[in-house]
Amino acid sequence: MRLVSAFLFIVAVASTCLAQAHNEMRIATPARVSAVAVARSGKIAAGLGTDGRIWIWNLPSGQVVRSLQPSGLGASQACAVSNLPCGLLLSQDGRSLFFGDAQGGVHVWDSSTGEARFETALHHYVITGAFSRDGNLLAASAAGEPAQIFDLRSKQRLFQLTSDFGGATAVAFSPDGSLIASADSDTAIRVFDAHSGKLKWRFDDLTLESFTVDFTADDKFVIAGGASKSLILLDAISGKELRSFPKQKDVVRYVEVSPDGSVVAVEYFDENGANIPAPVMVLDISSGNVRSQWTPDVPIVGTGWIGNGHLLVATATLEALHIWSLP
Amino acid sequence: MNRRDILQKCVALGSLTILSSSSVGALIAAWEEKLVRKPTPWNELGPFYKKRAPQTTSLRAPGDPGMPLSVSGQIFDVRGEIVPAAKIEVWQTDHLGHYDLDGYRYRATLLSDPSGKYSFDSVIPGHYPDRVCQHIHYLVSAPGHKPITTQLYFSTDPVFEGDPDRNYNRDPVLLSRELVRPVLLRGDPKTVFADVKFELVMERL
C-alpha cells in the first residue's frame, strides 16, 4: 500500500512540472507598466504605463522604439478581467498596435512609425479587441455592447456581432480568417462567419461568463475559459462540447494557443483581487494535462507565445519590466 | 427648447392644428406623460453574472454576518406604466467583498408582482477588491422591453465620504449619480437594518 502511494505521488509530481521561469530580460521603465502585449514575431512588445504612456520596445534588446501618448485617455477599467492587457494588443506581425481607452476610443497605430492607422469611437469604455491573423480586420467591443468588426484597409465598419445582453468579453479570429468567436457576458460562446457576420452557432451550457476565447491552430476547435475556473474545448464547426478541462483554483483570464497548436497558455487571476499573484499554466490540448506552471511573486501583466514556441510572461515592478520565458 | 416650447410654438405658428376640445396645455401634458420616466441608467453587467439563480427573496441566510439590507422597488416603463412579471436577477458579494462562483450565495431571481413591485433581503455587500464601490448587480428583462443591466450603489459607501453628489465618480465604472440610492436605517438597535428603494424604468422595444 505504501509503495503504491509512493508511486502515485511520483507520478503526480512528474505529470505537473512546477516550472522555474527563466528571466529573459529586464527593461527599465519610467513608470510601472500595467499591461504588456507581445507580438507573435517575438520582435516587439508594447506596454501601458501608469503614467498613461504606451511604450514600444524591440525584443530581445529591450530598446525603446517609441512611446505614444493617447490623448489624455486612461485605460479601460475592465483591465482586471479583460482578456486584453488593459486594452492593449499587437497584431501577430507586430506592425499594428491597438489600444481601447476608457472613453470608448479605439486607436490603431503603426508600431514602427507611430502614425495613426485607424480611429473610431465606441459607446462605452473598451472591453476587448482582436486582430485577424493577417492584421487587416479588427474586432473591438465596448462594455455592454457586442463586438464591432472593422476593415483596417478601407477604415470601414463591416458589421456588428450579436448577443442577448451584456455584450462581449472577448473575441478571436480563426487562423484561416473564416470565423470569429465571441465570449459573451450572457455566458454564451458564439461563432460567426467572418465574412458575413452571420451567427453559425452558440453554446449555452455555461452558467458563468467566459473572459477569453481562442481557436486552435488548425481552425478546428474553440477554447474558452473564465469564471468557471475551467476551460472548455468546442468543435468550431458544430459548437459541440468535446472536453472540459479540470477546474483550477483561480479564474481564467486569458488563453492563447501555441503556434504549433499542441498546447494552450492559460493566465489566471485570483478572484479576490487582480493584485494577488496567480499562475500561468501550459496545458496539453489533447489530454488536458498540465505541461508546466509558474506563479511569479507579483501579478502577471502580459503573456504571449512567440514563433519559436517559447511562452513569454511579463511582470512589472515600479521601475522595471521583467520578461520571463516559460519552458 | 424643450418639448413644451416646441409644441406651443407649433400651435402659435399654425403648423399644428388641434382638432380636440382639450386645451393646448392639457394636450401638451398628455404628450409629456407618455415619456414621464427616464430609463434606468446603464451600468456594466459583470463580471461574475451567473445564470439560473434560485427564485428567492432571501439572499441573506440566518446568522449571516454583515449589515442586514432590505431592497425594494417597482418596475415601470418609460410611459410610467407598471411592468408586472418582470424577471429581476440580482447578485452581489458577501459582506467581505467575495462573490460566490461555485454556488448561488447572494444571487437570486425575482419576479415583479402584479403592481410591478419587487423586494429582497440581503446584507450590505463588501468592497470587491477590483472595484471601488459597494454595489449590487441587476439584470432585468420583460417581454416587449429592452433588458436593463445596471448596478445599485449606496449613499453610505465610505468611498463617497458622505457626499455622493461630489464623489460618485470616484468609481470609474459608476457613470450616473442616479444609481447611488439613499440608505435609511430602520428597526430598533437589536434589529436595525438598511432600507433602500430602487425603482427601475425599462424602455419598450
Side-chain angles (χ1 to χ4, degrees), chain A residues 184-255:
Chain A
D184 297 324
S185 290
D186 60 15
T187 76
I189 305 294
R190 293 175 172 85
V191 161
F192 302 85
D193 183 298
H195 304 296
S196 66
K198 190 177 172 189
L199 178 68
K200 292 183 85 74
W201 54 261
R202 58 184 285 173
F203 178 77
D204 281 314
D205 289 0
L206 297 171
T207 54
L208 287 156
E209 68 206 303
S210 294
F211 297 129
T212 175
V213 66
D214 199 10
F215 284 90
T216 53
D218 59 6
D219 305 295
K220 290 182 177 173
F221 308 106
V222 172
I223 294 181
S228 69
K229 306 176 183 177
S230 174
L231 301 181
I232 52 162
L233 185 70
L234 304 171
D235 185 293
I237 302 302
S238 67
K240 285 187 178 170
E241 182 178 349
L242 303 172
R243 166 193 291 281
S244 180
F245 289 68
K247 186 175 174 179
Q248 303 293 334
K249 172 184 160 289
D250 296 301
V251 172
V252 177
R253 169 176 170 161
Y254 180 64
V255 295

Coordinates of all heavy atoms in Angstrom, one line a residue, chain A residues 184-255:
Chain A
D184 N -19.3 35.9 -24.4 CA -20.2 37.0 -24.1 C -20.6 37.0 -22.7 O -20.7 35.9 -22.0 CB -21.4 36.9 -25.0 CG -21.1 37.0 -26.5 OD1 -20.2 37.8 -26.8 OD2 -21.7 36.4 -27.3
S185 N -21.0 38.2 -22.2 CA -21.4 38.3 -20.8 C -22.7 37.5 -20.5 O -22.9 37.2 -19.3 CB -21.7 39.8 -20.5 OG -20.5 40.5 -20.5
D186 N -23.5 37.2 -21.5 CA -24.7 36.4 -21.2 C -24.4 34.9 -21.1 O -25.2 34.1 -21.0 CB -25.7 36.6 -22.3 CG -25.3 36.3 -23.7 OD1 -24.2 35.6 -23.8 OD2 -25.9 36.6 -24.7
T187 N -23.1 34.6 -21.0 CA -22.4 33.3 -20.7 C -22.4 32.4 -22.0 O -21.8 31.3 -21.9 CB -23.1 32.5 -19.6 OG1 -24.3 32.0 -20.0 CG2 -23.4 33.4 -18.4
A188 N -22.9 32.9 -23.1 CA -22.8 32.1 -24.3 C -21.4 32.3 -25.0 O -20.8 33.3 -24.9 CB -23.9 32.5 -25.3
I189 N -21.0 31.2 -25.7 CA -19.9 31.3 -26.7 C -20.6 31.3 -28.0 O -21.4 30.4 -28.3 CB -19.0 30.1 -26.6 CG1 -18.4 30.0 -25.1 CG2 -17.8 30.3 -27.5 CD1 -17.6 31.1 -24.6
R190 N -20.3 32.2 -28.9 CA -20.9 32.3 -30.2 C -19.8 32.3 -31.3 O -18.7 32.8 -31.1 CB -21.7 33.6 -30.4 CG -22.9 33.6 -29.5 CD -23.6 35.0 -29.7 NE -24.9 35.0 -29.0 CZ -25.1 35.3 -27.7 NH1 -24.1 35.6 -27.0 NH2 -26.3 35.3 -27.2
V191 N -20.1 31.6 -32.4 CA -19.1 31.7 -33.5 C -19.9 32.2 -34.7 O -21.0 31.8 -35.0 CB -18.5 30.3 -33.8 CG1 -17.9 30.2 -35.2 CG2 -17.4 30.0 -32.8
F192 N -19.3 33.2 -35.4 CA -19.9 33.9 -36.6 C -19.0 33.6 -37.8 O -17.8 33.4 -37.7 CB -19.9 35.4 -36.3 CG -20.7 35.8 -35.1 CD1 -20.0 35.8 -33.8 CD2 -22.0 36.1 -35.1 CE1 -20.7 36.1 -32.7 CE2 -22.7 36.5 -34.0 CZ -22.1 36.5 -32.8
D193 N -19.7 33.8 -39.0 CA -19.0 33.8 -40.2 C -18.2 35.1 -40.3 O -18.8 36.2 -40.2 CB -20.0 33.7 -41.4 CG -19.3 33.6 -42.7 OD1 -18.6 34.6 -43.1 OD2 -19.4 32.6 -43.4
A194 N -16.9 35.1 -40.6 CA -16.1 36.3 -40.5 C -16.4 37.2 -41.8 O -16.0 38.4 -41.7 CB -14.6 36.0 -40.4
H195 N -17.0 36.7 -42.8 CA -17.2 37.5 -44.0 C -18.6 38.1 -44.0 O -18.7 39.3 -44.4 CB -17.1 36.6 -45.2 CG -15.8 35.9 -45.3 ND1 -14.6 36.6 -45.5 CD2 -15.4 34.6 -45.2 CE1 -13.6 35.7 -45.5 NE2 -14.1 34.5 -45.3
S196 N -19.6 37.4 -43.4 CA -20.9 38.0 -43.4 C -21.4 38.5 -42.0 O -22.4 39.2 -41.9 CB -21.9 36.9 -43.9 OG -22.0 35.8 -42.9
G197 N -20.8 38.0 -41.0 CA -21.2 38.3 -39.6 C -22.4 37.5 -39.2 O -22.9 37.7 -38.1
K198 N -22.8 36.5 -40.0 CA -23.9 35.7 -39.6 C -23.5 34.7 -38.5 O -22.5 34.0 -38.6 CB -24.4 34.9 -40.9 CG -25.7 34.2 -40.7 CD -26.1 33.5 -42.0 CE -27.3 32.6 -41.8 NZ -27.6 31.8 -43.0
L199 N -24.4 34.5 -37.6 CA -24.2 33.6 -36.5 C -24.2 32.2 -37.0 O -25.2 31.7 -37.6 CB -25.3 33.8 -35.4 CG -25.2 32.8 -34.2 CD1 -23.9 33.1 -33.3 CD2 -26.4 32.9 -33.3
K200 N -23.2 31.4 -36.7 CA -23.1 30.0 -37.1 C -23.6 29.0 -36.0 O -24.3 28.1 -36.3 CB -21.7 29.6 -37.6 CG -21.3 30.3 -38.8 CD -19.9 29.9 -39.3 CE -20.0 28.6 -40.1 NZ -20.5 28.8 -41.5
W201 N -23.2 29.3 -34.8 CA -23.7 28.5 -33.7 C -23.5 29.3 -32.4 O -22.7 30.2 -32.3 CB -23.1 27.1 -33.6 CG -21.6 27.0 -33.6 CD1 -20.8 26.8 -34.6 CD2 -20.7 27.2 -32.4 NE1 -19.5 26.7 -34.2 CE2 -19.4 27.0 -32.9 CE3 -20.9 27.5 -31.1 CZ2 -18.3 27.1 -32.1 CZ3 -19.8 27.6 -30.3 CH2 -18.5 27.4 -30.8
R202 N -24.2 28.9 -31.3 CA -24.0 29.4 -30.0 C -24.0 28.3 -29.0 O -24.8 27.3 -29.2 CB -25.0 30.5 -29.6 CG -26.5 30.0 -29.6 CD -27.4 31.1 -29.3 NE -27.5 31.5 -27.9 CZ -28.1 32.5 -27.4 NH1 -28.8 33.4 -28.3 NH2 -28.1 32.8 -26.2
F203 N -23.2 28.4 -28.0 CA -23.0 27.3 -27.0 C -23.6 27.9 -25.7 O -23.0 28.9 -25.2 CB -21.6 26.9 -26.8 CG -21.4 25.9 -25.8 CD1 -21.7 24.5 -26.0 CD2 -20.8 26.2 -24.6 CE1 -21.5 23.6 -25.0 CE2 -20.6 25.2 -23.6 CZ -20.9 23.9 -23.8
D204 N -24.6 27.3 -25.1 CA -25.3 28.0 -24.0 C -25.2 27.2 -22.7 O -26.0 27.5 -21.8 CB -26.8 28.2 -24.4 CG -27.0 29.4 -25.2 OD1 -26.5 30.4 -24.9 OD2 -27.7 29.2 -26.2
D205 N -24.3 26.2 -22.6 CA -24.4 25.3 -21.4 C -23.6 25.9 -20.2 O -23.6 25.3 -19.2 CB -23.8 24.0 -21.8 CG -24.7 23.2 -22.7 OD1 -25.8 23.7 -23.0 OD2 -24.4 22.0 -23.1
L206 N -22.9 27.0 -20.4 CA -22.1 27.6 -19.3 C -23.1 28.4 -18.4 O -23.9 29.1 -19.0 CB -21.0 28.4 -19.8 CG -19.9 27.7 -20.6 CD1 -18.9 28.7 -21.2 CD2 -19.1 26.7 -19.7
T207 N -22.9 28.4 -17.1 CA -23.7 29.3 -16.3 C -22.9 30.6 -15.9 O -23.6 31.5 -15.6 CB -24.1 28.5 -15.0 OG1 -22.9 28.1 -14.3 CG2 -25.0 27.4 -15.2
L208 N -21.6 30.5 -16.0 CA -20.8 31.7 -15.7 C -20.1 32.2 -17.0 O -19.9 31.4 -17.9 CB -19.7 31.4 -14.7 CG -20.2 31.2 -13.3 CD1 -19.2 30.3 -12.5 CD2 -20.4 32.5 -12.6
E209 N -19.8 33.5 -17.1 CA -19.3 34.0 -18.3 C -17.8 33.6 -18.5 O -17.1 33.4 -17.6 CB -19.4 35.5 -18.3 CG -18.5 36.2 -17.3 CD -19.0 37.5 -16.8 OE1 -19.2 38.4 -17.7 OE2 -19.2 37.7 -15.6
S210 N -17.5 33.5 -19.8 CA -16.1 33.3 -20.2 C -15.4 34.7 -20.4 O -16.1 35.6 -20.9 CB -16.0 32.5 -21.5 OG -16.5 31.2 -21.2
F211 N -14.2 34.8 -20.1 CA -13.4 36.0 -20.3 C -12.4 36.0 -21.4 O -11.8 37.0 -21.7 CB -12.7 36.4 -19.0 CG -13.6 36.6 -17.8 CD1 -13.3 36.0 -16.6 CD2 -14.7 37.5 -17.9 CE1 -14.2 36.2 -15.5 CE2 -15.5 37.7 -16.8 CZ -15.2 37.1 -15.6
T212 N -12.3 34.8 -22.0 CA -11.3 34.7 -23.0 C -11.6 33.5 -24.0 O -12.3 32.6 -23.6 CB -9.9 34.4 -22.4 OG1 -8.9 34.2 -23.4 CG2 -9.9 33.3 -21.4
V213 N -11.2 33.7 -25.2 CA -11.5 32.7 -26.2 C -10.5 32.7 -27.3 O -9.8 33.7 -27.6 CB -12.9 32.9 -26.8 CG1 -13.0 34.2 -27.7 CG2 -13.4 31.8 -27.7
D214 N -10.2 31.5 -27.8 CA -9.2 31.4 -28.9 C -9.5 30.2 -29.8 O -10.2 29.3 -29.3 CB -7.7 31.3 -28.3 CG -6.7 31.6 -29.4 OD1 -7.0 32.1 -30.4 OD2 -5.5 31.4 -29.1
F215 N -8.9 30.1 -31.0 CA -9.1 29.0 -31.9 C -7.8 28.2 -31.8 O -6.7 28.7 -31.5 CB -9.2 29.4 -33.3 CG -10.6 29.9 -33.6 CD1 -11.0 31.3 -33.4 CD2 -11.6 29.1 -34.1 CE1 -12.2 31.7 -33.7 CE2 -12.9 29.5 -34.4 CZ -13.2 30.9 -34.2
T216 N -7.9 26.9 -32.1 CA -6.6 26.1 -32.2 C -6.0 26.4 -33.6 O -6.7 27.0 -34.5 CB -6.9 24.6 -32.1 OG1 -8.0 24.2 -33.0 CG2 -7.3 24.2 -30.7
A217 N -4.8 26.0 -33.7 CA -4.0 26.5 -34.9 C -4.6 25.8 -36.2 O -4.4 26.4 -37.3 CB -2.5 26.1 -34.7
D218 N -5.3 24.7 -36.1 CA -5.8 24.1 -37.3 C -7.3 24.5 -37.5 O -7.9 23.9 -38.4 CB -5.8 22.5 -37.1 CG -6.6 22.1 -35.9 OD1 -7.2 22.9 -35.2 OD2 -6.5 20.9 -35.6
D219 N -7.8 25.5 -36.8 CA -9.1 26.1 -37.0 C -10.2 25.2 -36.6 O -11.4 25.5 -36.8 CB -9.4 26.5 -38.5 CG -8.4 27.4 -39.1 OD1 -8.3 28.5 -38.6 OD2 -7.6 27.0 -40.0
K220 N -9.9 24.0 -36.0 CA -11.0 23.0 -35.8 C -11.7 23.2 -34.4 O -12.8 22.7 -34.3 CB -10.4 21.6 -35.9 CG -10.0 21.2 -37.3 CD -9.5 19.7 -37.2 CE -9.1 19.3 -38.7 NZ -8.5 18.0 -38.7
F221 N -11.0 23.8 -33.5 CA -11.6 23.9 -32.2 C -11.5 25.3 -31.6 O -10.7 26.1 -32.0 CB -10.8 22.9 -31.2 CG -10.7 21.5 -31.7 CD1 -9.5 21.1 -32.2 CD2 -11.8 20.7 -31.8 CE1 -9.3 19.8 -32.7 CE2 -11.7 19.4 -32.3 CZ -10.4 19.0 -32.8
V222 N -12.5 25.5 -30.7 CA -12.5 26.8 -29.9 C -12.3 26.5 -28.5 O -12.8 25.5 -27.9 CB -13.9 27.5 -30.1 CG1 -14.0 28.7 -29.2 CG2 -14.2 27.8 -31.5
I223 N -11.4 27.2 -27.8 CA -11.1 27.1 -26.4 C -11.6 28.3 -25.7 O -11.3 29.4 -26.1 CB -9.6 26.8 -26.1 CG1 -9.2 25.5 -26.7 CG2 -9.3 26.9 -24.6 CD1 -7.7 25.2 -26.5
A224 N -12.3 28.1 -24.6 CA -12.8 29.3 -23.8 C -12.7 29.0 -22.4 O -12.7 27.9 -21.9 CB -14.3 29.6 -24.2
G225 N -12.5 30.1 -21.6 CA -12.4 29.9 -20.1 C -12.8 31.2 -19.4 O -12.8 32.3 -20.1
G226 N -13.1 31.1 -18.1 CA -13.5 32.3 -17.4 C -13.8 32.0 -16.0 O -13.0 31.4 -15.3
A227 N -14.9 32.5 -15.5 CA -15.3 32.5 -14.1 C -15.5 31.1 -13.6 O -15.5 30.9 -12.4 CB -16.5 33.3 -13.9
S228 N -15.7 30.1 -14.5 CA -15.9 28.7 -14.0 C -14.6 28.1 -13.6 O -14.5 27.0 -13.0 CB -16.4 27.9 -15.2 OG -15.5 27.8 -16.2
K229 N -13.4 28.8 -13.8 CA -12.1 28.4 -13.5 C -11.6 27.2 -14.3 O -10.7 26.5 -13.9 CB -12.0 28.1 -12.0 CG -12.4 29.3 -11.1 CD -12.4 28.9 -9.6 CE -12.9 30.1 -8.8 NZ -13.0 29.8 -7.4
S230 N -12.3 26.9 -15.3 CA -12.0 25.8 -16.2 C -12.0 26.2 -17.6 O -12.3 27.4 -17.9 CB -13.1 24.7 -16.0 OG -12.9 23.6 -16.9
L231 N -11.5 25.3 -18.5 CA -11.6 25.6 -19.9 C -12.5 24.6 -20.6 O -12.6 23.5 -20.1 CB -10.2 25.4 -20.6 CG -9.0 26.2 -20.1 CD1 -7.7 25.8 -20.9 CD2 -9.3 27.7 -20.2
I232 N -13.1 25.0 -21.7 CA -13.9 24.0 -22.5 C -13.3 24.1 -23.9 O -12.9 25.1 -24.4 CB -15.4 24.3 -22.5 CG1 -15.7 25.8 -22.9 CG2 -16.1 23.9 -21.2 CD1 -17.1 26.0 -23.3
L233 N -13.4 22.9 -24.5 CA -13.0 22.7 -25.9 C -14.2 22.4 -26.7 O -14.9 21.5 -26.4 CB -12.0 21.6 -26.0 CG -11.3 21.4 -27.4 CD1 -10.3 22.5 -27.7 CD2 -10.6 20.0 -27.4
L234 N -14.5 23.3 -27.7 CA -15.7 23.2 -28.5 C -15.3 22.9 -30.0 O -14.3 23.4 -30.4 CB -16.5 24.4 -28.5 CG -17.0 24.9 -27.1 CD1 -17.6 26.3 -27.2 CD2 -17.9 23.9 -26.4
D235 N -16.1 22.1 -30.7 CA -15.9 21.9 -32.1 C -16.3 23.2 -32.8 O -17.4 23.7 -32.7 CB -16.8 20.8 -32.6 CG -16.6 20.4 -34.0 OD1 -16.9 21.2 -34.9 OD2 -16.1 19.3 -34.3
A236 N -15.3 23.7 -33.6 CA -15.5 25.0 -34.3 C -16.6 25.0 -35.3 O -17.2 26.0 -35.7 CB -14.2 25.5 -34.9
I237 N -16.9 23.8 -35.9 CA -18.0 23.7 -36.9 C -19.3 23.5 -36.3 O -20.3 24.2 -36.7 CB -17.6 22.6 -37.9 CG1 -16.3 22.8 -38.5 CG2 -18.7 22.5 -39.0 CD1 -16.1 24.1 -39.3
S238 N -19.4 22.6 -35.3 CA -20.8 22.3 -34.8 C -21.1 23.0 -33.5 O -22.3 23.1 -33.1 CB -20.9 20.8 -34.5 OG -20.0 20.4 -33.5
G239 N -20.1 23.5 -32.8 CA -20.3 24.1 -31.5 C -20.5 23.1 -30.3 O -20.8 23.5 -29.2
K240 N -20.3 21.8 -30.6 CA -20.5 20.8 -29.6 C -19.3 20.8 -28.6 O -18.2 20.9 -29.1 CB -20.6 19.4 -30.2 CG -22.0 19.2 -30.9 CD -22.2 17.8 -31.3 CE -23.6 17.6 -31.9 NZ -23.7 16.3 -32.6
E241 N -19.6 20.5 -27.3 CA -18.5 20.5 -26.3 C -17.8 19.1 -26.5 O -18.4 18.1 -26.5 CB -19.1 20.6 -24.9 CG -18.0 20.6 -23.9 CD -18.6 20.8 -22.5 OE1 -19.8 21.1 -22.3 OE2 -17.8 20.6 -21.5
L242 N -16.5 19.2 -26.6 CA -15.7 18.0 -26.7 C -15.0 17.6 -25.5 O -14.7 16.5 -25.2 CB -14.7 18.2 -27.9 CG -15.2 18.6 -29.2 CD1 -14.2 19.0 -30.2 CD2 -16.1 17.4 -29.8
R243 N -14.6 18.6 -24.7 CA -13.8 18.4 -23.5 C -14.0 19.5 -22.5 O -14.0 20.7 -22.9 CB -12.4 18.2 -23.8 CG -11.4 18.2 -22.7 CD -10.0 18.3 -23.2 NE -9.5 17.1 -23.8 CZ -9.1 16.0 -23.2 NH1 -9.1 16.0 -21.8 NH2 -8.7 15.0 -23.8
S244 N -14.0 19.2 -21.2 CA -13.9 20.2 -20.2 C -12.6 19.9 -19.4 O -12.4 18.8 -19.0 CB -15.1 20.1 -19.3 OG -15.1 21.1 -18.3
F245 N -11.8 20.9 -19.3 CA -10.5 20.7 -18.6 C -10.7 20.8 -17.1 O -11.7 21.4 -16.6 CB -9.5 21.8 -19.0 CG -9.0 21.7 -20.4 CD1 -9.9 21.8 -21.5 CD2 -7.7 21.3 -20.7 CE1 -9.4 21.7 -22.8 CE2 -7.2 21.2 -22.0 CZ -8.1 21.4 -23.1
P246 N -9.8 20.2 -16.3 CA -10.0 20.2 -14.8 C -10.1 21.6 -14.3 O -9.4 22.5 -14.7 CB -8.8 19.5 -14.3 CG -8.3 18.7 -15.5 CD -8.6 19.4 -16.7
K247 N -11.0 21.8 -13.3 CA -11.1 23.1 -12.7 C -9.9 23.5 -11.9 O -9.3 22.6 -11.2 CB -12.4 23.1 -11.8 CG -12.8 24.4 -11.2 CD -14.1 24.1 -10.4 CE -14.5 25.4 -9.7 NZ -15.7 25.2 -9.0
Q248 N -9.5 24.7 -11.9 CA -8.3 25.1 -11.1 C -8.8 26.1 -10.0 O -10.0 26.3 -9.8 CB -7.3 25.9 -12.0 CG -6.8 25.1 -13.2 CD -6.0 23.9 -12.7 OE1 -5.3 23.9 -11.7 NE2 -5.9 22.8 -13.6
K249 N -7.9 26.6 -9.2 CA -8.2 27.4 -8.0 C -8.7 28.8 -8.5 O -9.5 29.4 -7.8 CB -7.0 27.5 -7.1 CG -7.1 28.5 -6.0 CD -5.8 28.6 -5.2 CE -5.7 29.9 -4.4 NZ -5.6 31.1 -5.2
D250 N -8.1 29.3 -9.6 CA -8.3 30.7 -10.0 C -9.2 30.8 -11.3 O -9.3 29.9 -12.0 CB -7.0 31.4 -10.2 CG -6.2 31.4 -8.9 OD1 -6.7 32.0 -7.9 OD2 -5.1 30.9 -8.8
V251 N -9.6 32.1 -11.5 CA -10.4 32.4 -12.6 C -9.5 32.5 -13.9 O -8.4 33.1 -13.8 CB -11.2 33.7 -12.4 CG1 -11.9 34.2 -13.6 CG2 -12.2 33.6 -11.2
V252 N -10.0 32.0 -15.0 CA -9.2 32.1 -16.2 C -9.4 33.5 -16.8 O -10.5 34.0 -17.0 CB -9.7 31.1 -17.2 CG1 -8.9 31.2 -18.5 CG2 -9.6 29.7 -16.7
R253 N -8.2 34.1 -17.0 CA -8.3 35.5 -17.6 C -8.0 35.5 -19.1 O -8.5 36.3 -19.8 CB -7.3 36.4 -16.8 CG -7.0 37.7 -17.4 CD -6.1 38.5 -16.5 NE -5.7 39.7 -17.2 CZ -5.2 40.7 -16.5 NH1 -5.1 40.7 -15.2 NH2 -4.7 41.8 -17.2
Y254 N -7.0 34.7 -19.5 CA -6.6 34.8 -20.9 C -6.1 33.4 -21.3 O -5.4 32.7 -20.6 CB -5.4 35.8 -20.9 CG -4.8 36.0 -22.3 CD1 -5.6 36.5 -23.3 CD2 -3.5 35.7 -22.5 CE1 -5.0 36.7 -24.6 CE2 -2.9 35.9 -23.8 CZ -3.7 36.4 -24.8 OH -3.1 36.6 -26.0
V255 N -6.5 33.0 -22.5 CA -5.9 31.8 -23.1 C -5.3 32.1 -24.5 O -5.8 33.0 -25.2 CB -6.9 30.7 -23.3 CG1 -7.5 30.1 -22.0 CG2 -8.0 31.1 -24.3

